[in-house]
Amino acid sequence: MNPDELRVLSDALPETTKEELLNPSAHAVGKGFGGLLYWMFHPLIKLGIRTQSEVETYQKSFEEKAKNIDIENYDSSNLGLAYSTLQSSAGRLDNDVLQEMFAQLLTNTLDKTKNSTISPKFKSVLANMSNDEAILLNTLASNKYYKTGFPYLNFYQKTEANGKLDTATDIIGISNGEYIQKHAEISELEIDGIIKTKTDQWFDSGELADQYNLIKEDLNKIPEFSKDEASNGTLMFTDFGQRLVNAILP
């Protein structure tokens, strides 16, 4: 935020809101920033860009999460990053998943026990994330394999020229032979630096190793895949991805 923006913001905000932002009471850590949130988005409501309901839901979500910040840990020095994060979130209030992620990111940005690993890039990643990408991210980050990594498979048929013809790709094992298949979403999460897939590395023991065979057995029951072969791989969260998840999910 440049000095001119700060000056305009300071002149426009009510004194009570500014005081709550800088020196919140023990029982209202999120009240000042929640007030700033509504003040910023109110013009968008008038223009029909955002609805009253969207803004109020977002404000309530943030204020509820902010109650978990101990007053001693409130970090007013990070208001600039929180403000720019709020600006980035304006276009995503029509998406419930991303709205919740932004509310959590805002909360953690203002908590000095959690904001040391928050990157300014997080807000940009969320602002440009598709709904399906956000859903997949949420699904993987909430899964028991989140920290160990996921079995990742690509099925193919051999051609007469000794080549390979992909038939069922981007399959992620999630539990007990269960799997999901995603294409664009995996690619998008990789481009964002959140996950990485490897086809030359796989799990060779334990529960995770068993998932490969369970998925193969299940998929090979489908007639068109009955003769297919599979290449084993892994899908894991990067360090950046793990830090993002810690910042945007409870």
Side-chain angles (χ1 to χ4, degrees):
M1 196 188 313
N2 64 46
D4 289 337
E5 288 178 317
L6 281 171
R7 192 176 303 108
V8 171
L9 179 62
S10 178
D11 291 344
L13 284 176
E15 288 300 322
T16 53
T17 300
K18 285 191 283 187
E19 180 61 24
E20 287 168 343
L21 281 167
L22 296 173
N23 302 294
S25 69
H27 301 291
V29 171
K31 188 176 180 182
F33 203 85
L36 172 63
L37 184 158
Y38 191 83
W39 175 83
M40 282 181 61
F41 289 153
H42 188 65
L44 302 183
I45 297 173
K46 288 186 174 182
L47 292 171
I49 297 173
R50 298 268 68 96
T51 68
Q52 182 86 17
S53 176
E54 287 172 344
V55 174
E56 289 180 351
T57 298
Y58 188 29
Q59 180 182 15
K60 182 178 179 180
S61 178
F62 167 75
E63 291 182 351
E64 284 297 315
K65 295 178 191 302
K67 289 178 181 178
N68 295 320
I69 303 176
D70 290 335
I71 187 64
E72 296 84 2
N73 296 327
Y74 178 74
D75 189 0
S76 62
S77 70
N78 236 26
L79 281 172
L81 178 57
Y83 179 76
S84 63
T85 299
L86 192 58
Q87 289 177 309
S88 295
S89 71
R92 310 318 309 269
L93 298 193
D94 57 345
N95 184 295
D96 293 342
V97 177
L98 285 164
Q99 186 182 115
E100 281 294 304
M101 289 178 174
F102 262 115
Q104 190 66 55
L105 178 58
L106 283 168
T107 303
N108 289 339
T109 298
L110 296 170
D111 186 338
K112 67 182 179 182
T113 66
K114 298 179 179 180
N115 61 18
S116 62
T117 59
I118 290 178
S119 166
K121 293 180 181 178
F122 290 173
K123 58 184 172 58
S124 300
V125 168
L126 290 187
N128 292 288
M129 188 173 287
S130 69
N131 177 63
D132 290 341
E133 188 183 359
I135 291 173
L136 178 59
L137 173 59
N138 195 42
T139 298
L140 296 178
S142 304
N143 189 274
K144 66 178 182 177
Y145 296 150
Y146 160 60
K147 290 189 176 180
T148 56
F150 298 80
Y152 173 71
L153 297 90
N154 291 288
F155 284 76
Y156 62 90
Q157 290 181 352
K158 287 186 176 179
T159 66
E160 292 182 2
N162 205 30
K164 293 181 179 180
L165 176 66
D166 290 337
T167 54
T169 60
D170 298 314
I171 293 173
I172 309 167
I174 54 175
S175 178
N176 299 321
E178 295 181 41
Y179 59 87
I180 53 178
Q181 183 180 21
K182 301 293 178 180
H183 298 294
E185 296 86 350
I186 289 177
S187 177
E188 288 172 350
L189 289 175
E190 283 199 280
I191 290 171
D192 288 338
I194 297 171
I195 63 171
K196 56 185 176 183
T197 59
K198 292 187 176 181
T199 56
D200 60 350
Q201 175 180 307
W202 55 87
F203 301 102
D204 56 11
S205 63
E207 179 184 340
L208 286 164
D210 294 339
Q211 298 306 310
Y212 294 113
N213 288 330
L214 289 172
I215 293 169
K216 291 174 189 176
E217 289 172 6
D218 191 65
L219 198 59
N220 283 335
K221 292 175 184 176
I222 303 172
E224 57 263 41
F225 300 126
S226 61
K227 295 182 180 180
D228 286 7
E229 298 185 42
S231 62
N232 297 343
T234 60
L235 182 152
M236 295 184 175
F237 277 82
T238 64
D239 175 68
F240 176 83
Q242 290 177 355
R243 289 192 292 118
L244 173 66
V245 167
N246 289 337
I248 65 176
L249 295 181

